[in-house]
Amino acid sequence: MTMECVNPEGLRLDARQLCMHISCMLNLAQIQNSSHQTLETRMTPILMKGHERPLTFLRYNRDGDLLFSCAKDHTPTLWLAHNGERLGTYRGHNGAVSCCDVSRDSSRLITGSADQTAKLWDVKSGKQLFTFNFGSSARSVDFSVGDHLAVITTDHFMGVSSAIHVKRIAEDPQDQVGDSVLVLQSPDGKKKINRAVWGPLNQTIVSGGEDTVIRIWDTETGKLLKQSDVEVGHKEAITSLCKAADDSHFLTGSHDKTAKLWDMRSLTLIKSYTTVVPVNAVAMSPLLNHVVLGGGQDASAVTTTDHRAGKFEAKFYDTILEEEIGGVKGHFGPINALAFNPDGKSFSSGGEDGYVRLHHFDSNYFNIKI
Amino acid sequence: MEVVDIDARAAKLGINWSQVNFDSIQLPPGEDFGIESDDEAVYHDDQSEFDTGFGNIIVVDHLPVVPKEKFEKLEGVVKKIYNQLGVIKENGLWMPVDPDTKMTLGYCFIEFNTPQEAQNAKEKSHGYKLDKSHIFAVNMFDDFDRLMNVREEWEPPQARPYVPGENLQKWLTDDKARDQLVIRSGPDTEVYWNDARQKKPEPVHKRPYWTESYVQWSPLGTYLVTLHKQGAAVWGGADTFTRLMRYQHSMVKLVDFSPGEKYLVTYHSQEPSNPRDASKVEIKVFDVRTGRMMRDFKGSADEFSIGGPGGVAGASWPVFRWAGGKDDKYFAKLSKNTISVYETETFSLIDKKSMKVDNVVDICWSPTDSILSLFVPEQGGGNQPAKVALVQIPSKVELRQKNLFSVSDCKMYWQSSGEYLAVKVDRYTKTKKSTYSGFELFRIKERDIPIEVLELDNKNDKIIAFAWEPKGHRFAVIHGDQPRPDVSFYSMKTTQNTGRVSKLATLKAKQANALFWSPTGKYIILAGLKGFNGQLEFFNVDELETMATAEHFMATDIEWDPTGRYVATAVTSVHEMENGFTIWSFNGIVIYRILKDHFFQLAWRPRPPSFLTAEKEEEIAKNLKKYSKKYEAEDQDVSLLLSEQDREKRKALKDEWEKWVMQWKALHEEEKLARQNLRDGEVSDVEEDEYEAKEVEFEDLIDVTEEIVQESM
């Protein structure tokens, strides 16, 4: 008995092609096998090493082609979202950068930093357009619908209590002024407000922070409209808040090892996701009913135990059933930032380890059934 | 009252919490804030301690009636009598006089300094004969009212109607034959059914702050004991856990049941104020059912231990070790050079004296018989050999003894049905620089109790763990060097060698440091706790094969359920992370996992021994197929029902979610124009329908293979 291998094109497969073919085969085999597999087996992430300190925030632009990353080093960085190529950095901050937001047309970037400023940048040129000065660290920033307003939260510092500032963003940077349109004082001024975002039609601002309470404020009057129920709300500091594309609901992550999904208008608790480690970052898939939680053991306790104990995994949950689907491992420190590409076909995570990991889902992911 | 209740109540009364200034509220003085406790016990305790305050006064009756002239003489006599029995207060003697006749009335009141003295005087002088016609009748002043009301005629006491108690064994009649377990996490103590069919625990009872330190089941599972500042309490009953009895022992630290759960031993020790002194120890023995204290022992910790590093604050627990069997007849205490064996009929020492055994360091009861094994180490620098002896109780006859030479330490392991005793002996090598281990195996049930010496294949192996198969004739040993020691199984009788120990198998290089036999034998878990991060190997010793290997990361505790069907592994709060427990089937399949923060304790509720005879059990085992059929059908029903319920639940959740999404979509649509305005007229809402998931299948032709099949003829 003899066997002969004939390539249909009559060519020798070179090594690279072979690899491609093999990986193809593997993928196909896995599809046939089962849909119940952890996600980690299917994706090769792109490792983006550009930051020297822990990541704090990740943000895609609306088109999903650019990815902005913030870290405790002083330079927010811009990456190409499909291959992880570094396009440039925004130099000018003099402290850890905690948050950023990009305008709808991807022309403006706003960043908040521990150097007590928030800065407006020209995305393309990397030029600083304006600097808002505060008496304390700027913790979170968010552009409103229409990009004419921005909400910036500041920490408490030296007798200044934590607050939410609303700034008007001028069309022309020449006309930009630093005055606040509205300042909201948190009832507990000694606790950080970790995140504040705009509600539907810029009528409300939703904030959450270390005092565990989610608050909805009226942007016209500055009045507190609603706050989350103590019984069902978070029990420990809220670390992250991510809203749906249509501003209808939002997801909060907390150190109490849960993430909760709320209606943005009524502040009704809709879903609750329980995990085993403190949640530092949350994201919602715009495409499927999936939510992702990232976190891990507190950075200070990490070195004391086995690396597996830290659980530095991005955990995927079914939004509706509240059940865990799978996890993506890889970071060797807690995950501090998570973001979904607006097309829902890739996501990136940023860790205490200083890496950004960019994951493109393969076809298996879209066939998961639980 | 729950917070919810309070809120509801407040709403009903029209109280707005935000307007209530809590600082302005002034509570009524007193420890109970003017609110009387509905707990009777609080009431009772107070009464007994602070009665009317006349507790130190006695009334002496039947004194001679004397005229005024003899008053002082009589007074002198009475004083003389009672001064011997206690200190009479100044002006503490009062003999009333009839105002008309000036004669004494034949009685007097005496006030002592303390109630104890009064009590003592009453007891000693009641019935004292002053002379033939004057015999003292002495009573406490406090009792007088009560005594006055005693009716002249005797009434037969009324028989109290019999109130049937709760069925304390009800949990055994569970129709699904499930087992219960208790867990403590955070402030809560919870009892669950282990429902393996439903793959989750079913709550039975939950109570926050149920105990102040830990909880413990009684050995037969009837009671759950909780510890409190005031003492211990046992709980049990048919459906909910009701308090059955309380045992007063303030600041109780540890408790222990007798094996037949007739008696409860409670322990309390107090750190000495002077660190050089030994700590004070108080131990009480209670009858579990009546709550009566049978005996208490007080003393310094030295009297309850043999010195050296003890377990808890001086004494090693349990101080009293109970003889095996259900009779709860004897218990023994080890102290320096003595073994004190008590019997429970009178709660006194057998033959009124302790056994003197010089330098005894360890004693151990047979789990079934009243045989005590004891170990005496070498003395006089090796002139007097070490000794292991078996002593029959109550006769104190030495059944068997063995002298051992150059011994550094001994440990005794009884097999659970009392048939064998294994003594692990650590001996010095010739240079005395290191030790090696061997076993002395006693066959208790055979004539003359033969002893066999067993040495491991490699004599120098360190022995890490040893465990007898429950009710069986096999044992397992972990020996060798960390991190990959070997595990060996031995049998006391094989078909070829009935009277000799023989090795069954050695498993090389296992990540294990602890052994957990199933309570029914046959299966064992080789566990690597602590340093091994919770490696588990489920091993079948009959077939000598591994059934499963698994890991419960960081596991600290492993406990089999009493039937040997399931096993629980837990991570308790010694670790910060991963607290919770996992239930496995006996062959290593995960049934379910529960995560609980601040997880302290997990304990299966023990079952009393089966009433079935050995023959009956054998018969059931033979016809297992017939019996199991019914249960398999039930299992299938349950799993069908479960998947049905699951589907329904999912559907409901999906529907609910759809409702939200519809609502959001509608609102989003409504706000479309407003949003457009905010965006300076840009038609904005493209994001929704832009993407959709499509399933695309494509095939790649990788290569084509041609096979030429040559038939070789």
Side-chain angles (χ1 to χ4, degrees), chain A residues 46 60 64-67 79-85 341 346 358 360:
Chain A
I46 298 167
Y60 282 93
D65 59 343
L66 302 176
L67 174 65
W79 315 80
L80 267 185
H82 73 279
N83 63 2
E85 187 186 322
N341 192 307
S346 64
L358 174 61
H360 289 280

Side-chain angles (χ1 to χ4, degrees), chain A residues 159-190:
Chain A
V160 185
S161 65
S162 54
I164 303 167
H165 303 261
V166 177
K167 304 279 185 190
R168 193 167 293 285
I169 305 296
E171 197 89 7
D172 186 344
Q174 304 293 328
D175 306 337
Q176 182 66 48
V177 287
D179 301 331
S180 293
V181 184
L182 182 72
V183 179
L184 304 169
Q185 298 288 346
S186 171
D188 192 345
K190 288 271 188 293

Side-chain angles (χ1 to χ4, degrees), chain A residues 65-355:
Chain A
D65 59 343
L66 302 176
L67 174 65
F68 298 87
S69 64
C70 303
K72 287 186 181 171
D73 58 22
H74 306 166
T75 48
T77 304
L78 174 61
W79 315 80
L80 267 185
H82 73 279
N83 63 2
E85 187 186 322
R86 189 162 75 156
L87 291 177
T89 53
Y90 298 89
R91 290 181 181 275
H93 272 303
N94 203 15
V97 182
S98 51
C99 194
C100 71
D101 194 16
V102 61
S103 66
R104 189 176 156 86
D105 59 3
S106 304
S107 65
R108 299 282 171 80
L109 178 74
I110 186 167
T111 55
S113 161
D115 64 3
Q116 309 197 343
T117 65
K119 286 180 191 291
L120 274 175
W121 310 81
D122 183 66
V123 169
K124 205 169 172 186
S125 65
K127 258 195 245 156
Q128 274 184 55
L129 300 178
F130 193 79
T131 301
F132 299 103
N133 285 302
F134 300 98
S136 57
S137 312
R139 174 79 26 198
S140 115
V141 291
D142 191 44
F143 278 127
S144 70
V145 177
D147 300 326
H148 296 309
L149 295 166
V151 58
I152 304 168
T153 68
T154 55
D155 289 352
H156 61 95
F157 181 65
M158 305 267 287
V160 185
S161 65
S162 54
I164 303 167
H165 303 261
V166 177
K167 304 279 185 190
R168 193 167 293 285
I169 305 296
E171 197 89 7
D172 186 344
Q174 304 293 328
D175 306 337
Q176 182 66 48
V177 287
D179 301 331
S180 293
V181 184
L182 182 72
V183 179
L184 304 169
Q185 298 288 346
S186 171
D188 192 345
K190 288 271 188 293
K191 300 275 173 74
K192 283 177 194 163
I193 305 164
N194 281 328
R195 192 89 172 103
V197 296
W198 293 94
L201 300 180
N202 302 343
Q203 285 162 352
T204 55
I205 288 173
V206 183
S207 71
E210 285 179 343
D211 63 356
T212 76
V213 185
I214 298 164
R215 295 193 174 79
I216 296 187
W217 311 80
D218 188 319
T219 47
E220 284 294 316
T221 60
K223 267 195 191 133
L224 179 62
L225 294 178
K226 286 191 176 68
Q227 50 183 354
S228 58
D229 190 40
V230 182
E231 280 294 301
V232 302
H234 285 294
K235 303 285 180 276
E236 279 174 58
I238 295 165
T239 50
S240 48
L241 193 161
C242 139
K243 58 178 181 173
D246 63 353
D247 291 354
S248 60
H249 56 287
F250 64 96
L251 183 68
T252 53
S254 160
H255 277 159
D256 66 6
K257 305 181 185 174
T258 65
K260 290 174 191 283
L261 188 83
W262 311 79
D263 182 86
M264 209 164 196
R265 293 179 180 88
S266 62
L267 200 61
T268 319
L269 178 69
I270 301 174
K271 299 283 176 193
S272 192
Y273 311 93
T274 308
T275 174
V276 290
V277 289
V279 180
N280 295 339
V282 290
M284 282 188 281
S285 166
L287 192 58
L288 301 174
N289 283 322
H290 290 170
V291 299
V292 194
L293 317 184
Q297 199 176 14
D298 195 42
S300 62
V302 162
T303 51
T304 61
T305 47
D306 192 292
H307 70 98
R308 284 171 298 176
K311 296 259 159 120
F312 311 128
E313 259 179 279
K315 290 257 190 202
F316 279 66
Y317 285 75
D318 186 283
T319 310
I320 304 168
L321 302 176
E322 304 175 340
E323 276 170 42
E324 191 181 320
I325 303 168
V328 179
K329 287 180 191 168
H331 283 287
F332 45 92
I335 293 172
N336 289 340
L338 281 170
F340 249 102
N341 192 307
D343 69 3
K345 289 173 185 166
S346 64
F347 85 104
S348 50
S349 56
E352 189 79 13
D353 55 10
Y355 282 101

